[in-house]
Amino acid sequence: MSQNNGSSTSLRLKTGLAEMLKGGVIMDVTNAEQAVIAEKAGAVSVMALERVPAQIRAEGGVARMASPKKIREIMAAVSIPVMAKCRIGHFAEAQILQELGVDYIDESEVLTPADEAHHVDKHAFKVPFVCGARNLGEALRRIAEGAAMIRTKGEAGTGDVVHAVKHMRQIVQEMKILTVLGEEELYAKAKEHQAPYELVRMVAKAGKLPVPNFSAGGIATPADAALVMQLGAESVFVGSGIFMQDSTTFADPEEAEKRAKAIVLAATHFNDPKVLLEVSENLTGAMKGLAVAGMDEAHMLQTRGW
Amino acid sequence: MKIGVLALQGDFDAHRKRLEELGAEVLLVKQPAQLDEIDGLVIPGGESGTFLKLLGNAGFEKLKHFARTKPTFGTCAGAILLASEVENPKQSGLGALDIGIRRNAYGRQVDSSIRQGKLGESPIEMVFIRAPKIERIGPGVEVIATEGPDAVAVRQGKAMAATFHPELSEDTRVHRAFLDLVSNGHKK
């Protein structure tokens, strides 16, 4: 594969895979059995993890990249793309994941950050990266560093969709504002968003991010998926909501499969309340969850990343 | 002339844009009944296994009938769906093209590439993303594009498929060829 020269070629291939994932659901899994359930339910990709965010939140400790052995098992079990997370700024974990052959790396606030000032230089990698963002400035800083996909941060591991909604609305609204401003106003906006002027100008022209924009962080039900898709998300990441009963115990595999199938259908038919009712009706419960409004800021994962 | 783009999942929006640029009226197809409203269908890139799950049995049967009688063009996952045999892993195909196809035949995402191939005799850019390979070509299947030794776009009757993504390149020739196929059928 010798013709991947030049960073624009590389970015086209990286965002190209994100294009293929649109309208789909990317599911967090912690072992091969869960990965197979996710694939059977119609997931477009799985995120290979040691622990899902709800467990990380409940158990505490330092959360790191999953063990390569575990990721390899998951890669061998399914034919859909496999993603894995590295810590913010931990380029050595990213190098290992690239060598392993994962299809996407999530430089994620769900893991304990490894660098308090810098994110990974994602241009230096052949494997594409997705990064979280709470607002347009954060999204554009990540894109400047080479991210080929953005997802809202939301508040991972809570099963509470409120901050996924907040961040999606924030990004969409900030983009809308740019589209009506004059050339000279964009310079000030670039300063305000602490983002490169060229990217601010690109968004002002197109009215959207130059890379696909997905949603994550607290999506737990088919209705949640439909909500963020209607707000402008192009795909959804579902973490703890499928395989967890509460923050420490796994859901029954049959129940998990039903939830997974329902969310997949909801992501496709997000605009069709008839289908949404049908898929919601077949479910008996959702993850218990943790209300974000009652949380201390110190316990939030979304404030990680700079 | 109304062209449907199967919009269950995948890069359907890239196809929609390209077809609209070329003057076609586009319908995003999410329900089987919408197949009755269109003159031709594009099946986009994405995850072919996910497409099958979202189609369900009834959707699959309806789409099979459509793809075998009306102009249908699939790229990447769409090409996999149109094939008669699918490997790695084995899965059902619509059988509109008598080809055997292998999923993820080049490797993983780090093996994705942009290459120069040939459409007929003229050079064309080809974007391959976790692409499949056509491993068997039945009699009656015409090769319309090649990359090195490999057939990467084929046609049989009114069905057409490419293992690469013309919707992600600037070049519009492949989509124009499909629209020609649809309008020829229209005249007859």
Side-chain angles (χ1 to χ4, degrees):
Chain A
M1 304 290 136
S2 55
Q3 294 179 30
N4 290 342
N5 307 320
S7 73
S8 70
T9 295
S10 164
L11 188 64
R12 284 177 67 201
L13 288 169
K14 289 170 173 176
T15 56
L17 179 55
E19 292 289 331
M20 301 310 146
L21 302 176
K22 281 184 176 175
V25 183
I26 301 143
M27 300 182 193
D28 280 1
V29 297
T30 59
N31 56 43
E33 293 73 53
Q34 289 179 351
V36 170
I37 292 176
E39 182 174 47
K40 267 173 62 188
V44 291
S45 173
V46 291
M47 178 77 71
L49 290 169
E50 202 73 47
R51 300 180 287 170
V52 297
Q55 290 172 298
I56 292 172
R57 189 179 281 292
E59 292 166 17
V62 175
R64 309 182 178 92
M65 167 185 87
S67 84
K69 188 167 168 256
K70 171 156 276 180
I71 299 170
R72 211 186 275 281
E73 268 170 35
I74 292 169
M75 285 164 62
V78 295
S79 66
I80 51 179
V82 174
M83 304 189 184
K85 289 184 196 287
C86 76
R87 286 181 261 175
I88 289 173
H90 207 316
F91 53 83
E93 282 187 350
Q95 288 162 357
I96 292 168
L97 293 173
Q98 172 166 279
E99 193 58 33
L100 185 57
V102 303
D103 298 292
Y104 242 95
I105 295 178
D106 184 359
E107 186 185 17
S108 176
E109 69 283 0
V110 166
L111 305 184
T112 312
D115 191 315
E116 294 183 336
H118 311 97
H119 282 251
V120 172
D121 170 15
K122 295 166 273 287
H123 292 294
F125 289 80
K126 201 173 167 187
V127 62
F129 278 75
V130 51
C131 287
R134 287 176 299 169
N135 53 51
L136 183 60
E138 202 174 359
L140 296 181
R141 288 195 292 280
R142 297 296 85 80
I143 294 167
E145 295 156 2
M149 182 203 300
I150 291 297
R151 55 168 177 78
T152 57
K153 284 180 167 174
E155 189 54 38
T158 60
D160 187 348
V161 76
V162 66
H163 280 192
V165 168
K166 180 181 175 182
H167 300 157
M168 188 52 73
R169 281 202 184 274
Q170 179 82 21
I171 292 172
V172 169
Q173 188 194 59
E174 285 172 341
M175 291 196 294
K176 275 187 201 156
I177 291 171
L178 291 186
T179 63
V180 296
L181 295 180
E183 270 305 297
E184 72 287 358
E185 291 170 300
L186 296 178
Y187 294 101
K189 275 289 173 193
K191 187 178 161 196
E192 183 189 318
H193 289 310
Q194 298 180 47
Y197 165 74
E198 288 307 325
L199 288 177
V200 169
R201 191 157 176 268
M202 218 182 259
V203 173
K205 270 197 163 166
K208 59 201 270 301
L209 294 179
V211 305
N213 187 15
F214 292 7
S215 182
I219 296 154
T221 68
D224 289 349
L227 175 67
V228 293
M229 295 285 288
Q230 287 188 41
L231 288 172
E234 294 174 296
S235 273
V236 293
F237 284 82
V238 182
S240 321
I242 290 173
F243 291 103
M244 298 309 287
Q245 193 56 40
D246 53 46
S247 54
T248 48
T249 47
F250 286 112
D252 174 65
E254 263 175 51
E255 178 64 30
E257 188 174 343
K258 273 166 70 180
R259 287 184 195 171
K261 277 184 180 159
I263 291 187
V264 166
L265 283 162
T268 294
H269 301 284
F270 67 91
N271 258 333
D272 187 340
K274 206 175 142 208
V275 177
L276 295 175
L277 168 63
E278 228 175 81
V279 303
S280 302
E281 217 157 23
N282 289 330
L283 294 180
T284 47
M287 169 193 180
K288 180 166 176 254
L290 187 68
V292 174
M295 278 173 74
D296 228 335
E297 207 184 308
H299 294 127
M300 288 193 181
L301 303 173
Q302 60 181 267
T303 52
R304 298 165 164 182
W306 352 103
Chain B
M1 195 162 71
K2 203 177 201 178
I3 308 294
V5 179
L6 192 69
L8 298 173
Q9 186 273 313
D11 74 334
F12 51 85
D13 207 46
H15 279 288
R16 177 190 62 76
K17 272 186 215 142
R18 170 59 44 82
L19 292 164
E20 284 177 356
E21 275 163 28
L22 294 174
E25 186 191 347
V26 176
L27 179 72
L28 293 182
V29 173
K30 294 199 182 204
Q31 294 290 354
Q34 290 173 293
L35 292 173
D36 300 331
E37 301 168 37
I38 55 176
D39 304 305
L41 178 73
V42 173
I43 307 178
E47 282 302 320
S48 57
T50 302
F51 292 177
L52 291 175
K53 267 116 211 172
L54 286 161
L55 280 167
N57 287 338
F60 184 82
E61 288 307 317
K62 175 110 185 172
L63 183 58
K64 191 190 223 171
H65 178 73
F66 185 96
R68 288 177 175 201
T69 52
K70 292 265 190 74
T72 307
F73 171 39
T75 62
C76 197
I80 295 168
L81 228 63
L82 287 171
S84 50
E85 283 164 72
V86 183
E87 296 286 341
N88 190 33
K90 280 198 187 302
Q91 65 187 35
S92 321
L94 298 166
L97 287 166
D98 182 16
I99 57 170
I101 200 163
R102 172 171 294 274
R103 293 181 56 199
N104 300 330
Y106 296 82
R108 305 195 70 96
Q109 171 63 11
V110 288
D111 305 307
S112 291
S113 63
I114 298 178
R115 296 163 164 265
Q116 283 288 324
K118 280 188 172 165
L119 179 64
E121 285 307 310
S122 54
I124 186 169
E125 179 196 79
M126 296 173 173
V127 180
F128 293 96
I129 295 176
R130 286 176 49 99
K133 257 189 194 177
I134 298 170
E135 292 188 322
R136 184 188 65 77
I137 296 174
V141 177
E142 179 194 354
V143 175
I144 53 179
T146 52
E147 192 277 311
D150 300 321
V152 292
V154 293
R155 180 167 58 205
Q156 181 175 23
K158 293 173 186 168
M160 215 175 115
T163 59
F164 59 100
H165 293 281
E167 72 278 15
L168 298 183
S169 291
E170 298 287 310
D171 199 307
T172 61
R173 282 177 289 169
V174 179
H175 283 83
R176 275 190 280 156
F178 176 64
L179 290 177
D180 286 346
L181 194 67
V182 181
S183 54
N184 286 341
H186 227 50
K187 280 168 208 154
K188 277 171 202 166

